[in-house]
Amino acid sequence: MTALRARVTALRVMVFGAVLATGLASAPGLRAEEPQWRHGLSLMGSVKYPADFKHFDYVNPKAPRGGVLRMSAEGTFDSFNAILPKGSAAAGIGLLYDSLMASAYDEISTEYGQIAEAVKFPDDFAWAAYRLRAGAKWHDGTPITPEDVVWSLEKLKDLSPQQAFYYRSVVKAEVTGEREVTFRFDQTGNRELPQIVGQLTVLPKHWWEGTGPDGQKRDIGKTTLEPPLGSGAYKIKSFDPGKRVVYERVKDYWGDTLPVNVGQNNFDEIRYDYYRDDTVELEAFKGDQFDVRFENVAKNWATAYKFPAVEEKRVVLEEFAQRGSGVGLGFVMNLRRAKFQDPRVRLALNYAFNYEEVNRTTFFGMYERVNSYYFGTDLAAKGQPAGTELEILQEAKTKGPVPEEVFTKPFANPVAADQTQERNNLREALRLLREAGYVTEGTRLVDAKTKEPLRIEFLINSPTAERYVVPYRQQLAKIGIDLTVRSVDASQYSNRVRSRDFDMIYSGWGQSLSPGNEQQDHFGSAAADRQASSNYAGIKNPAIDYVIQRVIYAKDRAELEAATRALDRLLVWNHYVVPGWTYRFTRLARWDRFSRPETLPYYAEPQFPTIWWWDAEKAAKTGSR
């Protein structure tokens, strides 16, 4: 999962309490209650870096620049429009743009100014104002303006249902000064909102409303293969539609010396070549057709990297710890389908999955099974609820259904360490299914009333998924459930998941160390029927909605942790997924042509390629490309 890469995607941020980021110096005599301009914002109290910091500790400020980095992507692309939910945007398109704020990866949920030099907001978080840098400009030399910021937010909300949901509490953005834009919110007390708008990708209004080379007016509501104007460290140099896109470093990049950028963006060119599937991509890497491969398949890591270049140490295999995020994932059932409405059916499907056998035979014993939606973090529920967590759960029970097990025991997956346990698990699965109204007729499990067989279609977009789906199909067949595997290409898969046209998929949710408003998109009732939301399962539970609000409006870190653990219990005990597996390291295979700082960011190793650089001496030893 991509995301499941993380690039988990965008770092979630919140600001707690009165102890916030140190800011730019305030004028003498400023009233205490008047908002002060700040250079950074953090969840954890004071920010690490002062207003006059020169660069992040995890970069090499003297990193050499040059070289071409060759990356890979799977499938194809048909657009350079990064904000539309339709179409397939080109890999690396985010290199073109800067945001108001930039994340620090050696701190939890902390941001510093990029396009914006400062931010301020009142104690009740009813609004937030950002002051733009005087030198911020687009690649054509035009200044980045507050009007660009306002227009970008409006277009994101107009054209992307997911972004409209994410920014729905931002009811207005307005120009309030020559270089100032103010966002107004529809609520108070939501400490995350100032930093949510700080993550906004700013787009050039004048370019998108202008005329293209063909003489036609551009339309940001449509896909396009015209290279767009950006403001970031890179721009598009060339491309072959659907096959390749090449980015080149902007030599006069306006933000090159900003503290949040020093020591980064060191490659002269970054090239993405597209491959039709993972098998072809792996062979291309072995043949030195591209430089770096993030390996997500345990079998490949164990068996596929035994070729001469590895033995000669011209290819380096490394693993990097994942500390800055957690994950919840598994076989996601579509609750919009009647057959998955009964939680006993969902639990039975977990009992029928022999994870231990799959991990042994397919994953080479490398993985851990997930038992939390925040697995790998201190936010995962443990033991029995107590204190504030228990109080939150008791209050949630007055809002909607809460399984009794939430209060009585910690969640654990069924285990099938041997054949006896496997048979016992299958018996328990059958017992649950019969309680839910199914009976066995011949070799099939059917609904006792309608006589409809229990059939499940598992939607996949990669042949590698068959390695764990096929054993699951064999297990389900033992109790009379017919599981079919439907393999489609990446574009079809995205469209079907977006439109909720599936029974079951393998997917999940990347989680930061500071959950917040995004939980509504993951698990909230309002997102269940909205296409392109990350509420893949279609969860509609008022008890969960209530606890999500407790997460968002937590007054301090202790309450946030208690509320998140309460949410975790509700999610796992409702059996919305058959829990999957994870590996708490990032596997990176690379041709030895690059170097990196001695100290990598603690919460985001390896940060490739952002803080790495081309090493000409190593490249000469490794061989020509």
Side-chain angles (χ1 to χ4, degrees):
M1 24 176 285
T2 315
L4 298 166
R5 244 206 62 235
R7 213 175 165 313
V8 150
T9 149
L11 185 66
R12 301 303 313 117
V13 284
M14 294 181 71
V15 183
F16 283 140
V19 222
L20 292 165
T22 56
L24 302 177
S26 57
L30 190 66
R31 295 194 308 274
E33 68 271 19
E34 186 174 333
Q36 300 181 39
W37 289 107
R38 311 169 187 276
H39 75 287
L41 300 173
S42 176
L43 160 66
M44 302 305 291
S46 298
V47 297
K48 173 181 177 179
Y49 297 98
D52 60 350
F53 82 104
K54 304 304 181 185
H55 57 80
F56 293 129
D57 289 346
Y58 52 80
V59 304
N60 174 7
K62 298 180 180 180
R65 286 184 156 174
V68 176
L69 169 63
R70 304 171 304 165
M71 302 287 284
S72 67
E74 193 172 316
T76 187
F77 72 93
D78 59 11
S79 180
F80 291 133
N81 188 337
I83 73 169
L84 292 183
K86 60 184 178 182
S88 298
I93 195 66
L95 294 168
L96 272 61
Y97 302 107
D98 285 331
S99 301
L100 292 174
M101 305 284 277
S103 296
Y105 295 110
D106 55 351
E107 300 176 78
I108 296 176
S109 302
T110 301
E111 293 180 346
Y112 297 88
Q114 191 172 54
I115 290 176
E117 66 181 5
V119 56
K120 66 179 180 181
F121 48 84
D123 291 341
D124 66 357
F125 304 96
W127 54 267
Y130 280 86
R131 188 173 70 213
L132 308 190
R133 297 184 188 274
K137 62 181 180 180
W138 301 104
H139 293 157
D140 64 359
T142 304
I144 300 174
T145 67
E147 287 81 4
D148 289 320
V149 178
V150 172
W151 185 83
S152 298
L153 178 67
E154 291 174 348
K155 291 303 176 183
L156 275 172
K157 294 181 71 172
D158 287 345
L159 298 173
S160 171
Q162 186 169 9
Q163 294 298 315
F165 187 82
Y166 188 57
Y167 287 108
R168 71 189 186 284
S169 292
V170 186
V171 293
K172 188 176 184 180
E174 57 186 334
V175 177
T176 50
E178 181 183 356
R179 291 186 287 115
E180 182 177 307
V181 58
T182 298
F183 301 91
R184 304 198 182 277
F185 311 134
D186 64 358
Q187 55 191 268
T188 57
N190 190 331
R191 303 165 187 271
E192 190 175 12
L193 290 176
Q195 287 184 279
I196 281 181
V197 293
Q199 299 166 1
L200 181 70
T201 296
V202 183
L203 304 169
K205 178 182 179 181
H206 72 284
W207 189 86
W208 281 103
E209 293 188 341
T211 301
D214 58 0
Q216 300 297 311
K217 186 176 176 60
R218 298 186 181 98
D219 184 353
I220 197 171
K222 297 180 179 179
T223 59
T224 180
L225 284 175
E226 179 187 359
L229 181 69
S231 63
Y234 289 87
K235 62 182 179 181
I236 295 174
K237 177 183 179 181
S238 61
F239 67 97
D240 186 353
K243 298 179 180 178
R244 173 183 295 177
V245 57
V246 180
Y247 300 90
E248 64 178 342
R249 185 164 53 82
V250 177
K251 299 300 189 292
D252 60 347
Y253 170 43
W254 74 271
D256 204 39
T257 60
L258 291 180
V260 295
N261 292 333
V262 169
Q264 304 180 51
N265 308 311
N266 299 313
F267 295 97
D268 280 348
E269 287 188 11
I270 300 177
R271 186 177 84 190
Y272 287 88
D273 287 309
Y274 278 78
Y275 297 88
R276 69 173 182 266
D277 59 44
D278 185 72
T279 301
V280 175
E281 186 178 340
L282 176 57
E283 292 306 311
F285 174 76
K286 292 179 181 179
D288 198 9
Q289 298 302 300
F290 63 93
D291 297 307
V292 176
R293 176 176 164 87
F294 288 88
E295 183 55 72
N296 297 318
V297 179
K299 180 181 179 181
N300 288 344
W301 194 247
T303 65
Y305 291 91
K306 297 177 181 178
F307 55 98
V310 175
E311 297 169 1
E312 297 161 2
K313 300 190 184 304
R314 293 186 298 127
V315 168
V316 179
L317 308 180
E318 289 185 283
E319 294 185 339
F320 299 90
Q322 296 177 356
R323 304 186 189 93
S325 62
V327 68
L329 75 173
F331 301 162
V332 182
M333 291 162 273
N334 187 353
L335 272 65
R336 303 167 189 87
R337 306 284 167 91
K339 56 192 166 192
F340 297 122
Q341 283 292 311
D342 193 315
R344 292 170 296 189
V345 172
R346 304 196 295 265
L347 177 56
L349 293 173
N350 191 5
Y351 270 99
F353 180 47
N354 189 340
Y355 164 75
E356 285 70 31
E357 181 68 9
V358 171
N359 191 36
R360 182 181 66 82
T361 60
T362 301
F363 300 148
F364 294 81
M366 289 186 181
Y367 288 103
E368 297 176 86
R369 192 159 189 206
V370 169
N371 61 358
S372 165
Y373 282 69
Y374 306 89
F375 188 82
T377 76
D378 290 337
L379 299 168
K382 298 178 179 66
Q384 291 183 215
T388 303
E389 182 184 349
L390 179 58
E391 293 172 7
I392 292 171
L393 288 168
Q394 289 170 335
E395 185 64 24
K397 194 172 183 179
T398 69
K399 310 295 182 181
V402 173
E404 191 57 37
E405 295 91 340
V406 163
F407 298 99
T408 58
K409 57 183 178 180
F411 176 82
N413 287 301
V415 175
D418 54 38
Q419 290 184 345
T420 298
Q421 285 185 317
E422 178 189 3
R423 287 193 295 270
N424 290 340
N425 288 345
L426 290 175
R427 290 191 189 99
E428 178 62 13
L430 271 174
R431 184 190 69 79
L432 289 164
L433 289 162
R434 286 168 181 153
E435 278 189 8
Y438 286 91
V439 296
T440 301
E441 289 190 356
T443 60
R444 299 187 308 172
L445 197 68
V446 301
D447 186 295
K449 294 180 180 178
T450 66
K451 303 303 179 182
E452 182 73 20
L454 182 52
R455 294 191 177 101
I456 300 171
E457 181 185 88
F458 203 120
L459 186 68
I460 65 173
N461 66 345
S462 170
T464 59
E466 294 181 0
R467 296 183 303 111
Y468 54 81
V469 177
V470 169
Y472 189 42
R473 179 178 65 189
Q474 294 167 347
Q475 287 294 103
L476 291 176
K478 294 177 182 178
I479 56 175
I481 298 175
D482 179 19
L483 185 142
T484 60
V485 184
R486 175 64 62 87
S487 182
V488 297
D489 63 32
S491 178
Q492 287 178 294
Y493 183 85
S494 295
N495 289 333
R496 287 190 60 173
V497 172
R498 188 181 297 135
S499 62
R500 312 312 188 196
D501 182 17
F502 66 89
D503 284 346
M504 184 179 281
I505 56 174
Y506 188 81
S507 190
W509 305 268
Q511 300 286 5
S512 81
L513 300 181
S514 54
N517 287 264
E518 81 288 347
Q519 303 300 305
Q520 296 178 104
D521 192 59
H522 294 344
F523 314 120
S525 298
D529 295 327
R530 182 172 52 79
Q531 287 195 4
S533 80
S534 54
N535 189 344
Y536 309 118
I539 299 168
K540 290 183 178 180
N541 186 324
I544 288 176
D545 293 336
Y546 168 76
V547 178
I548 289 173
Q549 294 303 302
R550 291 296 300 266
V551 171
I552 293 171
Y553 290 97
K555 296 181 178 60
D556 53 38
R557 182 69 188 180
E559 185 179 344
L560 173 71
E561 292 177 352
T564 305
R565 289 172 185 144
L567 178 58
D568 192 24
R569 291 184 197 275
L570 290 176
L571 292 169
V572 295
W573 279 112
N574 273 289
H575 311 296
Y576 297 126
V577 304
V578 174
W581 50 89
T582 191
Y583 189 65
R584 290 195 249 186
F585 293 87
T586 297
R587 307 183 189 99
L588 183 66
R590 58 184 172 85
W591 288 84
D592 192 18
R593 300 180 174 114
F594 313 100
S595 289
R596 63 172 189 256
E598 289 185 13
T599 302
L600 292 172
Y602 184 83
Y603 295 109
E605 295 182 3
Q607 272 302 291
F608 187 95
T610 312
I611 62 176
W612 294 54
W613 60 89
W614 172 262
D615 190 315
E617 184 177 345
K618 287 182 178 180
K621 295 177 181 178
T622 300
S624 60
R625 300 187 295 181

